[in-house]
Amino acid sequence: MWTERQVAANLQHLGVRAGMAVLVHATPQAIGPMEAGSATLLHALLQVLGPEGTVLVPAFTPAHRDPAERAGRLTPTGEAERLRATVPLCDGHTAPADPQPPGEFPEIVQKHPQARRSTHPILSFVAIGAQADFLTRQAPFHYPLGSESPLARLHQLNGYVLLIGTDHTANVSLHLSEIWANVPYIHRYATVRTGEATWTRMQGSPECRRGFARIEPLLRQSRILREGPVGDAKAQLMAQQQLVSMGVALLQGERSFLLCEDPDCAWCALARKMNADPATQTALRAEEIERP
Ligand SMILES: [Zn+2]
């Protein structure tokens, strides 16, 4: 059974310090049994970061996306309406966060009395601490992980990314690299529920992250990762600015670097087409926009 004190000692050994702003991607189950469950991890983080520090976590709610769009162009009109009726209405504050990566950590953070949540139907963040307001206020609707997003504000604060029991497929800061490298596929649209009967097309939808794992050995070689255990879990701490810069450099060398290799991944196949041919890109974008 791991205690808060042991978890805090592991975090300090890894390099977490008082006053840092840290974006945490955690699978608490990987740590093993803790004295107060997943809350032990949050308490240990807040203890080490101190009153000047800030914890930030993704609280994504992909269930508010248009299921008819996901199902593709073959969805009959009546069926699209039926699918859309199953999507919950997002109030922007209390919607349960989808555990990404799996685990209840975002929910634990969200229930903290000092938690602040950014408003976005599908890509919101929750923060606790000195910079929580700065990180979460006035989050943009379009390009939700771009230059005005909580991710970019963390970058402004010289913040850190902490992975606990998960790999880089959870490392959403690399979407900021995609935006800043201006790869053609970042301008894609997604339709999301924004009101009782309102569906809004959002530009700059970040998609597949399965290819992100490819960056790990390069980060290690470049001494960007600090690695060690947190309980039974493997953990990695990195300066977000270094991570994002490396992502930008790699994408400038190869625009498809962060796309996955799964032949059945329709999204990455589309992204490769958009990368290869700007004309195709325009056509594909137009096709998406015109879809009812
Ligand atoms: Zn993919």
Side-chain angles (χ1 to χ4, degrees):
M1 183 74 77
W2 295 97
T3 65
E4 182 182 322
R5 198 174 161 156
Q6 289 169 319
V7 174
N10 284 169
L11 290 168
Q12 274 170 325
H13 193 252
L14 193 62
V16 180
R17 296 285 177 266
M20 281 181 173
V22 185
L23 172 57
V24 183
H25 304 285
T27 304
Q29 291 87 337
I31 297 173
M34 291 182 277
E35 57 184 357
S38 304
T40 300
L41 174 60
L42 178 60
H43 295 151
L45 277 163
L46 294 175
Q47 185 201 319
V48 174
L49 293 169
E52 301 302 313
T54 309
V55 172
L56 179 69
V57 298
F60 297 169
T61 46
H64 299 114
R65 279 184 80 148
D66 181 358
E69 186 175 72
R70 279 282 192 204
R73 293 171 59 80
L74 298 174
T75 313
T77 313
E79 178 65 2
E81 288 315 306
R82 195 191 64 76
L83 285 171
R84 285 178 164 192
T86 64
V87 173
L89 186 61
C90 181
D91 67 3
H93 294 287
T94 59
D98 183 56
Q100 269 305 342
E104 72 278 35
F105 194 58
E107 278 297 289
I108 297 272
V109 178
Q110 192 183 322
K111 285 182 180 137
H112 190 280
Q114 276 144 37
R116 297 277 180 276
R117 187 169 184 178
S118 61
T119 23
H120 196 279
I122 57 171
L123 293 160
S124 64
F125 289 82
V126 178
I128 302 171
Q131 300 290 348
D133 272 327
F134 173 73
L135 288 167
T136 57
R137 74 178 171 228
Q138 292 172 341
F141 177 73
H142 298 287
Y143 297 94
L145 302 183
S147 298
E148 308 296 326
S149 70
L151 291 180
R153 294 193 190 161
L154 184 74
H155 191 275
Q156 233 178 298
L157 293 174
N158 202 4
Y160 287 76
V161 174
L162 175 58
L163 305 181
I164 300 176
T166 182
D167 64 15
H168 289 264
T169 57
N171 202 343
V172 298
S173 294
L174 290 169
H175 286 304
L176 196 54
S177 305
E178 293 176 319
I179 302 262
W180 285 345
N182 198 27
V183 286
Y185 62 82
I186 57 166
H187 304 293
R188 196 180 190 233
Y189 290 79
T191 308
V192 298
R193 185 167 194 181
T194 51
E196 194 59 56
T198 316
W199 294 83
T200 309
R201 201 169 278 126
M202 174 192 88
Q203 192 173 13
S205 179
E207 300 287 345
C208 183
R209 285 195 292 275
R210 285 181 287 161
F212 287 9
R214 202 178 163 196
I215 202 170
E216 181 173 338
L218 300 167
L219 292 170
R220 188 171 290 119
Q221 260 170 28
S222 307
R223 304 282 187 269
I224 289 172
L225 297 181
R226 293 200 55 159
E227 301 184 78
V230 171
D232 297 328
K234 287 183 184 168
Q236 302 184 344
L237 180 72
M238 66 214 84
Q240 194 217 29
Q241 290 184 355
Q242 290 184 308
L243 166 74
V244 172
S245 296
M246 172 158 259
V248 169
L250 290 166
L251 289 167
Q252 283 170 342
E254 183 192 339
R255 291 196 286 205
S256 297
F257 184 85
L258 292 174
L259 301 178
C260 83
E261 301 295 333
D262 178 357
D264 294 331
C265 179
W267 158 242
C268 288
L270 173 63
R272 282 194 173 85
K273 273 190 200 163
M274 292 167 100
N275 276 349
D277 180 5
T280 310
Q281 180 196 340
T282 312
L284 286 167
R285 284 170 59 187
E287 185 179 287
E288 280 190 297
I289 296 160
E290 283 157 16
R291 190 160 63 204

